[in-house]
């Protein structure tokens, strides 16, 4: 391994570590206000929705194909299916409906 590659890896590790370490050091004693904590709890769901929803709209030429799969996933999830059943159920629905799109 060349020294240049080693410095690149160490630099990337340092750049990744510092933004994670600073809040732990400086915000350790302070508590987060409950309102901000409530907002921060929703960030993963919002990010996941932002990552998935464009794919739903662009998976097929016909936009209804993706929306049908999303509706199937919502329905199975609403009925209490766990993650595996939601994914497999949505795939099964889209597999059955593929000849119609």
């Amino acid at each position: 391994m060349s020294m240049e590659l080693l410095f690149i890896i160490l630099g990337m590790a340092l750049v990744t570590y510092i933004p994670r370490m600073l809040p732990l050091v400086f915000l350790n004693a302070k508590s987060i206000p409950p309102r901000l904590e409530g907002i921060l709890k929703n960030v993963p769901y919002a990010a996941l929705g932002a990552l998935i929803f464009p794919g739903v709209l662009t998976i097929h030429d016909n936009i209804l194909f993706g929306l049908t799969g999303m509706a199937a996933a919502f329905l199975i999830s609403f009925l209490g299916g766990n993650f595996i059943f939601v994914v497999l159920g949505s795939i099964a629905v889209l597999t059955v409906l593929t000849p119609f799109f």
Side-chain angles (χ1 to χ4, degrees):
M1 180 182 303
S2 69
M3 289 300 289
E4 182 179 332
L5 185 60
L6 183 63
F7 284 128
I8 290 172
I9 292 172
L10 288 175
M12 288 190 299
L14 192 65
V15 169
T16 303
Y17 179 73
I18 288 174
R20 294 174 187 214
M21 182 263 311
L22 287 177
L24 288 175
V25 171
F26 293 112
L27 299 176
N28 191 18
K30 297 180 181 178
S31 64
I32 298 174
R35 185 172 172 90
L36 180 61
E37 189 175 337
I39 292 171
L40 292 175
K41 284 183 178 178
N42 293 326
V43 169
Y45 304 113
L48 191 61
L51 290 172
I52 291 174
F53 191 69
V56 167
L57 299 178
T58 59
I59 191 171
H60 195 270
D61 292 336
N62 191 344
I63 196 170
L64 289 177
F65 186 75
L67 292 176
T68 303
M70 185 176 74
F74 276 130
L75 180 64
I76 296 168
S77 177
F78 183 75
L79 294 175
N82 65 18
F83 180 72
I84 296 297
F85 286 126
V86 171
V87 171
L88 293 178
S90 180
I91 290 171
V93 167
L94 290 179
T95 301
V96 169
L97 294 178
T98 295
F100 300 108
F101 285 98

